[in-house]
């Protein structure tokens, strides 16, 4: 499968005249193909938000009976055409494809191709003066802040911190993977803005 991914990237690069642009296009095509799964996840979020009072009542009544609480929660969600793990299915389905792309972007096949003068296999942690590396970090910070502004009020601190996870990872991955992270991050931010609607006001 990785062999296929590699040749698709090379084919795109040949047609577009740029490997970095091919990475962006390949990432967009992947996310677009998986959009139906993402929509299921957003629908599950809306169902849970609408049923929040009833779910809280189940937890209150059956807090000491976790099995009963789980059964009643599942039954309630199924009646609404959802399920307890509906929000996780899209992420699980995307994981193998994302992993294949990431493996390709971190492989030696990217060596010799550049972006803003930086080799696509270079890592910021090993090359502190890498201009494109700092550009990727800055772009990921912007994406993280954008995502953070969209989370509902009362979101746990851990979730807010995780929004900056890719920023922490970026210096340790090759430039090619950084381009993927930025592209995927921008797609996710726009997707959430469109399908979650207007962001709720955040506290603090």
């Amino acid at each position: 499968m990785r062999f296929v991914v590699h040749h698709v990237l090379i084919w795109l690069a040949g047609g577009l005249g740029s490997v970095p642009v091919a990475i962006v296009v390949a990432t967009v095509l992947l996310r677009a193909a998986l959009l139906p799964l993402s929509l299921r996840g957003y629908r599950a979020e809306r169902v849970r938000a609408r049923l929040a009072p009833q779910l809280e009542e189940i937890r209150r009544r059956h807090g000491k009976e976790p099995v009963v609480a789980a059964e009643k929660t599942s039954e309630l969600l199924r009646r609404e055409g959802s399920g307890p793990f509906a929000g996780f299915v899209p992420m699980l389905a995307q994981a193998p494809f994302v992993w294949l792309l990431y493996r390709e972007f971190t492989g030696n096949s990217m060596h010799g191709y550049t972006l803003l003068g930086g080799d696509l296999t270079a890592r910021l942690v090993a090359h502190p003066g890498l201009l494109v590396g700092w550009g990727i970090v800055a772009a990921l910070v912007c994406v993280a802040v954008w995502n953070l502004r969209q989370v509902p009020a009362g979101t746990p601190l851990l979730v807010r911190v995780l929004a900056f996870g890719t920023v922490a990872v970026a210096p340790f991955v090759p430039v090619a993977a950084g381009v993927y992270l930025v592209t995927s991050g921008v797609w996710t931010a726009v997707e959430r803005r469109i399908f979650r609607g207007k962001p709720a006001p955040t506290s603090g």
Side-chain angles (χ1 to χ4, degrees), residues 1-203:
M1 183 63 76
R2 187 178 173 186
F3 175 82
V4 174
V5 171
H6 171 75
H7 282 276
V8 168
L9 276 174
I10 296 302
W11 177 75
L12 285 172
L16 298 168
S18 168
V19 172
V21 174
I23 293 173
V24 172
V25 171
T27 304
V28 168
L29 290 175
L30 171 65
R31 296 301 304 270
L34 297 174
L35 183 58
L37 292 176
S38 297
L39 294 180
R40 287 185 60 188
Y42 292 125
R43 181 182 180 280
E45 287 183 5
R46 290 193 294 271
V47 169
R48 279 189 167 274
R50 180 162 50 83
L51 298 178
Q54 293 164 265
L55 293 171
E56 179 59 34
E57 179 63 17
I58 290 174
R59 285 191 290 269
R60 187 186 67 79
R61 287 188 176 185
H62 306 283
K64 297 181 180 180
E65 302 172 293
V67 174
V68 175
E71 289 177 350
K72 290 188 175 295
T73 297
S74 296
E75 181 182 348
L76 176 61
L77 293 173
R78 279 197 299 271
R79 285 203 302 266
E80 298 295 328
S82 185
F85 303 108
F88 297 100
V89 170
M91 291 186 291
L92 294 176
Q94 291 179 37
F97 300 99
V98 171
W99 177 244
L100 283 171
L101 279 179
Y102 181 79
R103 285 288 303 276
E104 182 63 26
F105 298 156
T106 56
N108 291 329
S109 61
M110 295 288 106
H111 183 66
Y113 299 104
T114 62
L115 175 62
L116 299 179
D119 193 285
L120 291 181
T121 61
R123 302 169 190 256
L124 184 58
V125 69
H127 304 278
L130 190 64
L131 178 62
V132 66
W134 287 110
I136 286 170
V137 169
L140 289 172
V141 169
C142 292
V143 171
V145 171
W146 186 6
N147 282 326
L148 195 59
R149 291 174 63 86
Q150 297 187 66
V151 300
T155 299
L157 177 61
L158 178 60
V159 175
R160 294 174 179 271
V161 171
L162 287 176
F164 292 88
T166 53
V167 179
V169 169
F172 300 93
V173 300
V175 169
V179 173
Y180 161 75
L181 290 175
V182 171
T183 306
S184 186
V186 170
W187 176 284
T188 298
V190 172
E191 188 180 84
R192 286 174 176 170
R193 186 70 177 90
I194 293 172
F195 296 110
R196 282 182 175 170
K198 186 177 179 180
T202 57
S203 57

